[in-house]
């Protein structure tokens, strides 16, 4: 028996909230990725890339399960397996991180963008379908293969385009435009994947497969969404209070060593009423001070007034 699915049981509340979370995660992640490109220190660059991966992964995962709170099957209650649900979050962060690190360390070459975008897009799509695998109901879930392939293609193209925009166009407005585009594409990918779902109900009296330990959407997903939501808000604070994150500017150059600056000051600053002085070269082993001054050509010693 075919089940009747409804992806909008709460009206437009869940799709709009899901879209906003996808945009927030994308905006924070892409700005962190841009910040890493302006950070020369390997350790700090890796830190920004990790923050970017967690932001994008958390944003996409939060988008998915906010949208899933509006998913219902008329004939049977829908529950979720906690372990599979948590695994989908970890998978999203890891695979998005691999793609982000490829672009962060390989730059904006065509191969790096294609590889990083493909891995990131596959991570987003894999998170979606692993999360769907955690559904427990009195029936089985099947998919239309062509529609699933289309949703994966949308995820890959969206991720590649967003990474290219973030790495090539460093302005704040372009990054925001890229994050909105990514939010639209990721949310569209989600609902395109949901359009591929077909639920076949079990015969009356048959138990739901794997229903032990499963929890309803309100019981499980509500508390689980608090953690990623709080993280995204904290990441937003980091972006707001880091000027380089907002402007996309360069790191200030590292200050010169203290000894070097003092030496330069002695050479360039003349004392009042005294001719400009030059640093006296140090003699090498077996060489007198006068020989060090005259150089290897033996041009003779200099008078004291030359100094």
């Amino acid at each position: 028996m075919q089940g009747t699915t409804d992806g909008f049981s709460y009206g437009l509340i869940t799709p709009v909230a899901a879209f906003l979370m996808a945009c927030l995660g994308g905006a924070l992640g892409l700005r962190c990725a841009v910040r890493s490109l302006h950070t020369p220190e390997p350790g700090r660059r890796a830190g920004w890339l990790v923050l970017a991966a967690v932001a994008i992964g958390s944003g996409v995962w939060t988008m998915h399960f906010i949208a899933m709170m509006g998913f219902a099957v008329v004939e049977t209650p829908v529950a979720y397996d906690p372990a599979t649900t948590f695994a989908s979050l970890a998978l999203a962060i890891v695979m998005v991180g691999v793609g982000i690190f490829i672009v962060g360390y390989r730059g904006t070459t065509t191969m790096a963008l294609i590889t990083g975008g493909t891995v990131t897009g596959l991570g987003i799509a894999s998170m979606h379908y692993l999360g769907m695998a955690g559904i427990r109901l009195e029936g089985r879930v099947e998919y239309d293969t062509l529609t699933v392939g289309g949703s994966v293609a949308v995820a890959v193209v969206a991720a590649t385009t967003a990474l290219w925009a973030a790495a090539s166009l460093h302005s704040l407005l372009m990054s925001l435009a890229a994050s909105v585009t990514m939010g639209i594409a990721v949310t569209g990918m989600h609902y395109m994947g949901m359009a591929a779902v077909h639920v076949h109900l079990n015969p009356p009296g048959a138990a739901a497969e794997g229903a032990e330990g499963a929890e309803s959407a309100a019981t499980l997903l509500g508390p689980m969404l608090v953690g990623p939501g709080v993280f995204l808000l904290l990441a937003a604070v980091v972006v707001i209070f880091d000027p380089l994150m907002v402007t996309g500017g360069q790191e200030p150059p590292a200050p010169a060593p203290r000894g070097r600056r003092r030496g330069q000051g002695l050479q360039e600053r003349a004392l009042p009423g005294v001719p400009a002085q030059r640093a006296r070269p140090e003699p090498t082993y077996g060489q007198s001070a006068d020989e060090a001054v005259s150089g290897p050509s033996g041009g003779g010693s200099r008078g004291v007034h030359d100094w």
Side-chain angles (χ1 to χ4, degrees):
M1 179 180 174
Q2 186 80 18
T4 304
T5 60
D6 181 7
F8 303 94
S9 60
Y10 291 104
L12 292 178
I13 295 176
T14 49
V16 171
F19 166 72
L20 292 177
M21 292 305 297
C23 290
L24 177 61
L28 296 176
L30 294 178
R31 291 311 294 168
C32 291
V34 170
R35 183 68 167 81
S36 72
L37 297 176
H38 299 301
T39 304
E41 296 88 348
R44 293 182 61 191
R45 172 176 291 189
W48 285 114
L49 292 174
V50 168
L51 187 60
V54 176
I56 294 177
S58 298
V60 173
W61 184 87
T62 305
M63 175 278 302
H64 171 81
F65 282 104
I66 287 178
M68 290 305 296
M69 292 184 72
F71 174 75
V73 180
V74 176
E75 295 83 2
T76 178
V78 177
Y80 295 87
D81 177 60
T84 308
T85 303
F86 278 114
S88 65
L89 173 61
L91 179 65
I93 293 175
V94 170
M95 291 196 68
V96 170
V98 172
I100 289 289
F101 268 78
I102 290 174
V103 175
Y105 281 95
R106 295 294 182 181
T108 57
T109 63
T110 302
M111 184 57 65
L113 285 172
I114 292 176
T115 305
T118 300
V119 174
T120 302
L122 290 177
I124 294 171
S126 300
M127 179 279 304
H128 172 87
Y129 289 106
L130 181 59
M132 292 296 295
I135 290 180
R136 299 292 182 263
L137 45 76
E138 295 178 0
R140 67 182 186 277
V141 178
E142 296 181 353
Y143 298 92
D144 177 70
T145 304
L146 186 61
T147 308
V148 169
S151 68
V152 174
V154 168
V156 171
V157 172
T160 304
T161 304
L163 290 178
W164 170 81
S168 303
L169 308 173
H170 295 169
S171 69
L172 177 61
L173 290 180
M174 292 307 301
S175 292
L176 291 177
S179 65
V180 171
T181 302
M182 186 175 183
I184 294 173
V186 169
T187 307
M189 180 276 301
H190 170 85
Y191 284 103
M192 186 176 183
M194 295 306 297
V197 171
H198 302 285
V199 175
H200 296 274
L201 300 175
N202 292 335
E209 182 180 354
E212 298 81 4
E215 300 181 30
S216 66
T219 304
L220 175 65
L221 299 183
M224 286 183 65
L225 293 174
V226 173
V230 170
F231 168 79
L232 291 175
L233 292 177
L234 293 177
V237 172
V238 173
V239 171
I240 291 172
F241 287 97
D242 188 343
L244 293 181
M245 289 283 289
V246 177
T247 62
Q250 297 283 349
E251 284 270 2
R258 183 178 179 86
R260 181 180 176 182
R261 292 203 309 270
R262 292 180 62 185
Q264 290 176 345
L266 290 175
Q267 294 179 24
E268 297 172 358
R269 184 175 67 251
L271 299 176
V274 180
Q277 300 177 350
R278 294 176 297 173
R280 187 185 184 99
E282 293 292 334
T284 59
Y285 179 76
Q287 188 181 36
S288 67
D290 289 339
E291 290 173 342
V293 171
S294 62
S297 60
S301 61
R302 297 177 184 264
V304 67
H305 295 292
D306 292 338
W307 303 101

